[in-house]
Amino acid sequence: MRRILILTMILAIAIPSMVHADINKWEQGKYPKKGPVGIGGWVVFWDANNASLVSFEKHADQTDRAYCEWYNLHLNDCMPHPVDSATPELKARAVVAAKKNNVQLWMMVGNYNLAINDHDKNMVEPFLYDAAKRAQHIQMLVDYAVKDGVQGIQIDYENFLAKDKDPFSNFMAELDKACKAHGLLCGVALPSKTEAVGTWDDPQSRDYKAIGKVTDQFVPMTYDYHWGTGLPGCVTSPEWSEQVVKYAVSTLDADKMEVGYPTYGYDWVGKVGETITYKIFMERAAKYHVTPVRDTDDSQELYYDYIDEKGQSHEAWMPDSRSLEYQCDIVKKYHLYGIGIWMFGSEDESFWTTMKKVNSTDQLTSKLLPAEPPPAVIPKMKVLKLFTDKDECMYQGAYPDTDAKAVMLFKQNKRWIDFKLKGNAWSGGYMGVNKSNLVNYLQKGALQFYIRGNKGGETLSGIGFSMDTGLGDDEKYHYVTSVPLGNYCNVTTKWQLVTIPLSDFPNSGHHFDERNGQAISGPFKWNKVIEIDLDHAPGADPNMEIQLSNVVIVPKYKAKLVLKEKEAMQQ
């Protein structure tokens, strides 16, 4: 949710004795969807000129559900309290717009801590593990909902630890029971994941299946694929959203679910991203005389680069009406309830005209879009900085977990990763990079990096790339393509530059399936590169330590020099 926030939930007045399926059926009769793709969205009350509320009032005739950010937890007692900026007058306006246009009205409660500018687990964990505090917390939520006359309560508590999974599921079950006793719906917005485990603590702390059984509405936050404190890139993508949806509907009823959709973008300087609206995105494009380019290979979003008055390099990304249609088609394909937008007020008017088009038919509309015209000026291929003195990687690691480690170091303005591997066993390391499309670099481009060893003479059986998974049958695994490091350099204790032509890497990848102990091969997708991988075969020395720095992809390299170096290595 408020990562820039979160997404959607459910609503309605229910009969306590009804089960979830009956409640949903009754609610759909009271609040029928206004089109094949239901529109739910968050209404906030802290923005300039009440833009979020004004947008909701203007477009309530197209809206199915409104999630009003009226409450937030306080750190001192971990209980819900009214948001000061949601005054009685503003709340009344939201209620009037909802009633006039037959919109399900929800109250949303979050755990956003302004002091740290993020969601705070310390606002939640104390009551997750204390039955008395939990009962008080739930009672306060229900009392607020009854007083406000809303149809449902949506929970947006984020940034937990993996150990909180079962306690949070139990909390949601207890909240749902209390909601049903008072004729309320119960919903939740959750971190996205494409499999049961999840890749980091917050998604690991959510049991989709358990929570899906005790909620009437369920919204994975399929946005912030690239976020404000990370590397630049698309805010969401149809493929990623569909991967999340495909997993989610395997655990719960599809008609409970909305797919999260961002109506905001980011403008990054390094790893600091400013949240921007579509209006700001286009104003800056005009100011700095740049033309937005569409990412037709993946996200369908718009992006551009520019240099500001201070000489700072920016990269900005923004979803728009075209990328919206691709996301709406996921709703139709999987028979979901709809989309959940974060947030009202940050969208432009084309969002609403596009939703009228989308909801005029049950057919998938993105397939009918005209081809995107090529850019007037073809963007110049640039050096892709995967990991440099100024640019951190997304993460780093090594295996086996108990005997190897990877640590990022920064000294005297130089950044590198120190890999300590198990020298007398199969071992390796990896560094996560921004998802990159290297297709256009294959013919003339190269992987370049600086390397040195702790003793000298270290070698790697393979150095290369790992690809992301996808929806295709040949994209189920993180295939790796690699070449032996020894073909390109002799490692010493001094830093040396290594250049490996991308054309040297095999177009087939390999993956070791630990479940059955088998090696699997398949096509390597160069438009899905997500990691630099290092592999080490067993050797005599039990300790193997190397360091990597300034890892980049260059569009051109000195082919004759590289060929000469390779020939020298083979002699």
Side-chain angles (χ1 to χ4, degrees):
M1 283 231 5
R2 207 162 169 184
R3 202 155 202 193
I4 275 214
L5 266 76
I6 206 173
L7 240 134
T8 130
M9 253 44 266
I10 129 190
L11 312 146
I13 295 177
I15 298 174
S17 62
M18 288 182 171
V19 297
H20 283 283
D22 295 328
I23 290 174
N24 285 337
K25 185 175 180 180
W26 179 74
E27 274 302 315
Q28 289 167 7
K30 185 176 178 62
Y31 295 96
K33 281 201 301 184
K34 296 168 183 174
V37 179
I39 303 174
W42 282 278
V43 184
V44 304
F45 296 82
W46 40 259
D47 57 340
N49 303 315
N50 300 314
S52 186
L53 176 59
V54 170
S55 176
F56 170 58
E57 290 174 319
K58 182 176 180 180
H59 300 290
D61 60 327
Q62 286 183 251
T63 303
D64 297 287
R65 295 170 175 165
Y67 310 111
C68 294
E69 190 184 17
W70 286 345
Y71 299 94
N72 197 68
L73 305 189
H74 283 194
L75 187 59
N76 63 338
D77 62 1
C78 302
M79 297 296 158
H81 296 275
V83 173
D84 292 339
S85 55
T87 64
E89 293 77 16
L90 296 179
K91 291 173 68 172
R93 284 171 56 181
V95 171
V96 169
K99 288 183 176 180
K100 181 180 178 181
N101 294 279
N102 205 38
V103 176
Q104 284 185 335
L105 193 65
W106 291 64
M107 71 171 228
M108 184 273 277
V109 56
N111 66 322
Y112 199 82
N113 186 344
L114 290 173
I116 63 173
N117 199 31
D118 205 349
H119 293 82
D120 191 347
K121 68 180 185 298
N122 296 313
M123 292 179 171
V124 178
E125 287 184 335
F127 71 77
L128 286 184
Y129 295 90
D130 186 312
K133 289 182 178 179
R134 192 164 60 251
Q136 179 187 359
H137 189 100
I138 289 171
Q139 188 61 53
M140 290 180 70
L141 290 174
V142 170
D143 288 346
Y144 283 135
V146 172
K147 176 177 68 71
D148 290 333
V150 297
Q151 286 78 55
I153 299 173
Q154 180 193 47
I155 298 298
D156 175 30
Y157 298 161
E158 302 181 37
N159 284 353
F160 295 173
L161 298 177
K163 68 179 180 65
D164 299 325
K165 182 176 71 171
D166 290 340
F168 183 75
S169 297
N170 294 336
F171 162 70
M172 291 303 303
E174 293 173 8
L175 175 62
D176 176 70
K177 184 177 180 180
C179 283
K180 296 303 169 288
H182 291 81
L184 295 166
L185 294 169
C186 178
V188 64
L190 296 175
S192 298
K193 57 182 176 179
T194 60
E195 58 185 3
V197 177
T199 56
W200 58 292
D201 268 303
D202 206 23
Q204 288 169 359
S205 70
R206 313 310 166 100
D207 186 334
Y208 273 27
K209 186 174 183 179
I211 296 170
K213 290 179 180 179
V214 296
T215 51
D216 304 293
Q217 189 66 343
F218 188 102
V219 186
M221 294 177 279
T222 44
Y223 44 81
D224 272 9
Y225 187 74
H226 295 87
W227 57 95
T229 56
L231 297 170
C234 60
V235 186
T236 186
S237 79
E239 182 179 53
W240 177 56
S241 292
E242 187 168 352
Q243 286 179 283
V244 173
V245 167
K246 194 172 181 179
Y247 166 67
V249 297
S250 73
T251 69
L252 51 84
D253 295 334
D255 61 1
K256 286 185 175 184
M257 183 176 163
E258 297 173 15
V259 59
Y261 184 75
T263 57
Y264 63 90
Y266 286 112
D267 184 344
W268 279 274
V269 175
K271 292 181 69 174
V272 179
E274 174 192 0
T275 305
I276 57 174
T277 63
Y278 184 82
K279 181 174 182 289
I280 293 174
F281 179 82
M282 297 307 294
E283 287 175 347
R284 291 183 183 175
K287 177 179 179 180
Y288 294 101
H289 307 289
V290 292
T291 302
V293 176
R294 189 170 303 280
D295 174 25
T296 56
D297 294 322
D298 184 21
S299 68
Q300 305 301 322
E301 293 181 1
L302 297 173
Y303 68 94
Y304 56 69
D305 301 327
Y306 69 93
I307 306 294
D308 66 16
E309 296 87 345
K310 299 179 181 179
Q312 295 177 311
S313 297
H314 289 246
E315 185 173 336
W317 285 75
M318 174 62 66
D320 72 341
S321 59
R322 190 179 183 94
S323 58
L324 171 65
E325 289 201 47
Y326 282 84
Q327 299 280 359
C328 288
D329 279 355
I330 298 171
V331 174
K332 293 179 179 179
K333 179 178 177 180
Y334 289 88
H335 307 290
L336 310 180
Y337 179 86
I339 61 170
I341 62 170
W342 179 262
M343 60 182 186
F344 279 104
S346 59
E347 81 285 6
D348 73 308
E349 283 301 311
S350 68
F351 172 91
W352 298 102
T353 55
T354 298
M355 288 308 303
K356 285 182 179 179
K357 171 189 170 184
V358 164
N359 276 330
S360 67
T361 177
D362 290 326
Q363 301 300 311
L364 307 185
T365 61
S366 68
K367 299 182 182 301
L368 305 177
L369 288 169
E372 183 75 7
V377 178
I378 303 298
K380 184 179 179 181
M381 292 177 65
K382 60 183 181 180
V383 174
L384 299 181
K385 300 177 181 179
L386 306 182
F387 174 67
T388 71
D389 293 339
K390 294 182 178 180
D391 305 286
E392 297 181 22
C393 61
M394 299 185 75
Y395 55 86
Q396 68 278 337
Y399 68 89
D401 293 340
T402 55
D403 298 301
K405 64 180 181 178
V407 179
M408 184 171 63
L409 301 170
F410 186 70
K411 296 180 180 179
Q412 297 179 338
N413 296 320
K414 186 171 183 62
R415 191 186 311 274
W416 68 90
I417 296 179
D418 184 64
F419 292 97
K420 293 182 179 179
L421 307 181
K422 190 173 183 179
N424 55 1
W426 288 103
S427 186
Y430 51 87
M431 63 171 68
V433 301
N434 210 0
K435 187 176 179 180
S436 301
N437 183 351
L438 303 186
V439 171
N440 293 333
Y441 291 79
L442 288 177
Q443 186 175 1
K444 298 182 179 181
L447 168 66
Q448 285 189 341
F449 54 89
Y450 282 85
I451 190 169
R452 71 180 179 185
N454 184 46
K455 300 178 180 178
E458 293 86 354
T459 188
L460 294 171
S461 57
I463 184 166
F465 305 93
S466 175
M467 66 175 247
D468 198 4
T469 55
L471 294 166
D473 290 338
D474 58 355
E475 299 174 343
K476 294 180 179 179
Y477 302 103
H478 292 288
Y479 288 122
V480 173
T481 182
S482 62
V483 294
L485 177 64
N487 289 356
Y488 301 89
C489 77
N490 285 318
V491 177
T492 70
T493 56
K494 295 182 178 180
W495 288 110
Q496 61 176 304
L497 176 66
V498 179
T499 300
I500 305 178
L502 295 183
S503 57
D504 284 8
F505 289 91
N507 286 322
S508 61
H510 58 274
H511 171 80
F512 184 76
D513 192 338
E514 295 181 353
R515 294 171 297 181
N516 53 31
Q518 292 183 346
I520 303 170
S521 61
F524 188 84
K525 300 298 181 71
W526 285 98
N527 62 333
K528 291 176 172 289
V529 172
I530 59 167
E531 283 183 354
I532 300 295
D533 275 58
L534 293 70
D535 292 311
H536 173 70
D541 190 345
N543 300 311
M544 193 279 199
E545 183 175 354
I546 60 170
Q547 297 169 347
L548 230 59
S549 179
N550 284 296
V551 183
V552 300
I553 303 296
V554 294
K556 292 183 180 181
Y557 64 96
K558 296 179 180 179
K560 291 183 179 180
L561 179 60
V562 172
L563 179 60
K564 183 178 180 180
E565 292 175 345
K566 285 178 63 178
E567 291 175 345
M569 293 299 301
Q570 295 170 2
Q571 292 177 359

